[in-house]
Amino acid sequence: MPVEEKLPYCSDDQSKPFRLASSTSYDKSETRYWRDYLKLQCHPVSDELVGHWPAEPTSFRPRLAEFSEAAHELAQTLLSLVAEGLGLRADFFAGDLSGGETQMNVNYYPPCPDPSLTLGLLPHCDRHLLTVLSQGDVAGLQARYNGRWLLVRPVPGAFVINFGHQMEIVTNGALASVEHRAITNSAVARMSVATLIMPKMECHIGPAPEMVDEVTNPAKFREFVFSEFMEAYNTAAASREDVLDSFRIHRD
Ligand code: OGA
Ligand code: NI
């Protein structure tokens, strides 16, 4: 869309249901990241919500609504399979744990003249429960594994599924949240679409009793309300350990 039509949506106000911004709001330092993004609320789809989305191009609202419903359905299917795999009831993650206002990051990383100087997105763990990510066909996502950054190669037509902090906490560490980042390249632009499955803000979260054993596997995290976690995440600038530290139960 032409710049004049996009300009009214530019905002760093995180309470807006549809906005366009650059870099990231997590890093409080002077560092800027090579990224433009749309941040939008995409589920549950209601007339009021759709009214916040741009009316142009005309295909945008119906396509987004369709994608949002489908991504949500996929996420719910995966969550019930994950629950089953852990020996929990199939609807364990349904309800408040995954029923929050789903957000979407549409990330755009333009070609960068010198990729050694910056990142597209800083190292972070996703703060919610589950991420359904489409990374198109340009590589750029890296995950930290044994202290090294591994490239997550795009698989045509496939989504990358990432566990967020809440998955790690609810499963008492059994399914860890993976730290990841996006790098840039000097040749082509890259676009990714991340659908973020969120708990409700007032949802009480803590290790599931089924995942805890007082003797062999005591609770690693305390209980909290999700809104509290969101605040801590913003203060800790997305650093994995800093965020988790305020919710960890320390034993000696
Ligand atoms: C995100 C994210 C990775 C990517 O939006 O949280 O990690 O490949 N995106 O753009
Ligand atoms: Ni992420």
Side-chain angles (χ1 to χ4, degrees):
M1 301 294 287
V3 172
E4 328 61 88
E5 293 191 36
K6 292 194 284 190
L7 216 50
Y9 293 103
C10 286
S11 173
D12 285 324
D13 176 356
Q14 294 183 46
S15 67
K16 294 215 164 155
F18 189 100
R19 66 188 180 92
L20 187 60
S22 281
S23 189
T24 173
S25 58
Y26 299 144
D27 194 327
K28 306 288 186 276
S29 71
E30 294 294 298
T31 316
R32 304 289 294 169
Y33 297 91
W34 206 261
R35 168 187 183 238
D36 290 336
Y37 63 101
L38 278 180
K39 182 107 194 177
L40 57 103
Q41 203 178 303
C42 71
H43 202 274
V45 178
S46 65
D47 288 348
E48 194 203 336
L49 178 60
V50 172
H52 288 296
W53 301 343
E56 301 284 334
T58 48
S59 58
F60 184 73
R61 286 176 171 178
R63 290 268 173 88
L64 180 57
E66 197 183 336
F67 182 89
S68 166
E69 295 288 6
H72 222 258
E73 216 177 290
L74 173 65
Q76 289 300 335
T77 305
L78 288 168
L79 285 171
S80 68
L81 291 170
V82 167
E84 207 177 305
L86 289 167
L88 303 168
R89 12 171 256 283
D91 66 351
F92 181 85
F93 295 104
D96 287 2
L97 266 176
S98 63
E101 289 171 342
T102 304
Q103 296 189 337
M104 190 181 273
N105 288 338
V106 183
N107 303 303
Y108 178 72
Y109 308 99
C112 178
D114 186 351
S116 72
L117 292 179
T118 185
L119 287 168
L121 197 52
L122 75 169
H124 67 283
C125 284
D126 295 338
R127 63 191 148 162
H128 41 273
L129 185 66
L130 188 87
T131 303
V132 177
L133 177 83
S134 160
Q135 57 165 344
D137 51 11
V138 180
L141 174 66
Q142 292 184 325
R144 203 202 284 276
Y145 182 72
N146 284 345
R148 290 171 53 218
W149 289 106
L150 299 186
L151 190 69
V152 181
R153 286 186 202 288
V155 175
F159 290 108
V160 173
I161 306 298
N162 199 17
F163 296 141
H165 278 303
Q166 307 315 310
M167 182 63 86
E168 175 160 353
I169 291 167
V170 168
T171 63
N172 202 30
L175 297 179
S177 173
V178 177
E179 202 174 11
H180 53 284
R181 67 180 190 180
I183 56 170
T184 61
N185 74 77
S186 56
V188 282
R190 174 170 182 266
M191 189 141 87
S192 69
V193 180
T195 307
L196 321 176
I197 305 300
M198 309 271 273
K200 289 202 166 140
M201 283 299 160
E202 65 278 13
C203 181
H204 285 259
I205 298 181
E210 297 91 331
M211 303 300 296
V212 172
D213 181 299
E214 270 324 310
V215 182
T216 56
N217 189 24
K220 294 186 174 73
F221 305 97
R222 66 174 174 88
E223 254 193 54
F224 55 89
V225 176
F226 184 56
S227 56
E228 197 189 328
F229 191 95
M230 292 290 276
E231 240 165 73
Y233 189 92
N234 280 335
T235 315
S239 150
R240 183 188 145 79
E241 289 314 312
D242 288 358
V243 177
L244 286 181
D245 238 23
S246 24
F247 299 94
R248 217 185 278 282
I249 296 177
H250 297 276
R251 295 167 207 269
D252 22 57

